[in-house]
Amino acid sequence: MVTGLTPPEPFRWFPADGARHAVLRGLVEPGATGDTLCGAEVVVPKIPPPKYPDGLWPTCPKCDEAWREDQALRAEVPAQGPLPDRSRCGAGGRSRSRTQPQKAGVSS
């Protein structure tokens, strides 16, 4: 499993009624029903929708707006807190401050 610094997107794009709508990522089971971000109810088809280029549908403007708002909110909240101060570190390695006392018998 590949992991990144940010959690996976909570939504995915779903073709329905002639447009690409955003639905919760977990809505995948054939026959399952759910709501899009624009509020439309959709049913996961038993037959997969057409692929590119036949499945290239326009994006629902309301879903797109709601998705962008969600992305902006997620960008404002740091996933793992602030990054540590690395201004005193050398290129890729750890450096010890010259004013920091050393333990007896340990050389740097």
Side-chain angles (χ1 to χ4, degrees), residues 39-97:
E41 185 177 14
V42 293
V43 178
V44 177
K46 295 183 183 188
I47 299 171
K51 301 289 182 197
Y52 177 85
D54 298 326
L56 189 60
W57 295 356
T59 301
C60 168
K62 289 182 181 179
C63 282
D64 184 53
E65 182 180 345
W67 179 81
R68 289 174 189 273
E69 287 175 8
D70 178 75
Q71 291 299 300
L73 291 174
R74 288 165 47 84
E76 291 175 6
V77 178
Q80 298 176 357
L83 294 175
D85 179 17
R86 303 234 188 256
S87 60
R88 290 177 290 182
C89 291
R94 289 179 65 181
S95 66
R96 184 183 299 207
S97 171

Side-chain angles (χ1 to χ4, degrees), residues 4-5 8-10 12-15 19 24 30 32 35 37 42 48 54-56 67 77 79-80 86 92 107-108:
L5 296 176
E9 300 293 329
R12 69 182 181 94
W13 292 102
F14 183 87
L24 288 174
D35 291 333
L37 288 183
V42 293
D54 298 326
L56 189 60
W67 179 81
V77 178
Q80 298 176 357
R86 303 234 188 256
S107 61
S108 54

Side-chain angles (χ1 to χ4, degrees), residues 15 21 61 66:
H21 293 273

Side-chain angles (χ1 to χ4, degrees), residues 6 17 34 101 105:
T6 58
D17 297 328

